[in-house]
Amino acid sequence: MKTPSLDIDAASGDYVLMRNLVEHRPEALAKLHSRYHTVLRNVVLQILHDDSDAEDVVQDVFTQLWIKPETYCAEKGKPLGWLLTLSRRRAIDCLRRRHTYRRLTERFECAHRSPHKQAQLELAVDRDACHADLRHYLQKLMCHLPPAQKEVVEKGFFGSMSQRQIAAAMNLPLGTVKTRMELGLRKLAAAMTPFRTQIE
């Protein structure tokens, strides 16, 4: 037997539509959706502040309304009030899931980022310590260089000056600076030979 179609225009009240939903009359769901979709969406949007999430929540509410219309009863109040309460609860649940996801994501990132940062920090500390030790060792060796060679090497390596800058600063010919630099570096290299042998 064919089910008579619902006369939507005649169904003036929400209570009638809710009763027809129990009978799975799609016209009733369509009418309720047309009446209250925008209202419910605006309420949910005030909680979530996200159009996509708000639309998903309202869709879930109407899906529940279609699948389990019997969860509503007149004692719970007017259908619109019940739908608003249901929408708010769903929106709050969505908000909690969103915050939980963010917290877990932040914890995960911190857990994986912290060891990396710690390793970088330790590496930087070790590198700085090595540089300081090497600088101290070189300065001790340079004490054995003739003053002219020592001054040129210091300006070049500890003062970060080019050979042309050293020549201009010391009022010396560029060739003289190059010669003093070469002699000084040779003596330092010879003095560091035992040190390199120990490392190897």
Side-chain angles (χ1 to χ4, degrees), residues 57-190:
V57 167
V58 174
Q59 185 64 35
D60 286 345
V61 169
F62 280 106
T63 299
Q64 178 179 337
L65 189 59
W66 175 250
I67 296 173
K68 293 184 177 180
E70 67 277 0
T71 55
Y72 169 76
C73 61
E75 287 77 11
K76 293 181 178 180
K78 295 181 179 180
L80 177 57
W82 178 72
L83 288 171
L84 287 170
T85 300
L86 186 60
S87 298
R88 287 193 192 98
R89 287 177 181 170
R90 288 291 180 93
I92 292 170
D93 288 343
C94 180
L95 193 63
R96 286 173 178 163
R97 285 194 302 272
R98 184 195 294 171
H99 287 169
T100 299
Y101 174 79
R102 285 178 181 170
R103 285 198 301 270
L104 290 174
T105 301
E106 289 171 359
R107 288 177 186 172
F108 178 82
E109 289 177 351
C110 286
H112 285 74
R113 186 168 56 236
S114 294
H116 181 61
K117 281 192 171 181
Q118 184 63 28
Q120 285 184 326
L121 180 61
E122 291 175 358
L123 183 62
V125 171
D126 289 344
R127 186 170 55 245
D128 290 344
C130 287
H131 286 173
D133 289 345
L134 181 59
R135 184 187 183 98
H136 180 68
Y137 179 69
L138 286 173
Q139 285 175 334
K140 284 178 65 177
L141 292 178
M142 287 173 62
C143 290
H144 302 291
L145 293 178
Q149 294 174 12
K150 177 183 176 185
E151 186 176 7
V152 168
V153 172
E154 281 183 337
K155 288 183 183 298
F157 288 90
F158 296 126
S160 300
M161 295 175 67
S162 69
Q163 291 181 353
R164 289 188 181 277
Q165 289 173 329
I166 296 170
M170 298 180 67
N171 197 23
L172 291 173
L174 181 59
T176 302
V177 171
K178 288 182 177 181
T179 301
R180 291 180 182 180
M181 181 76 73
E182 184 178 351
L183 291 172
L185 291 177
R186 281 182 183 177
K187 289 177 182 177
L188 285 176

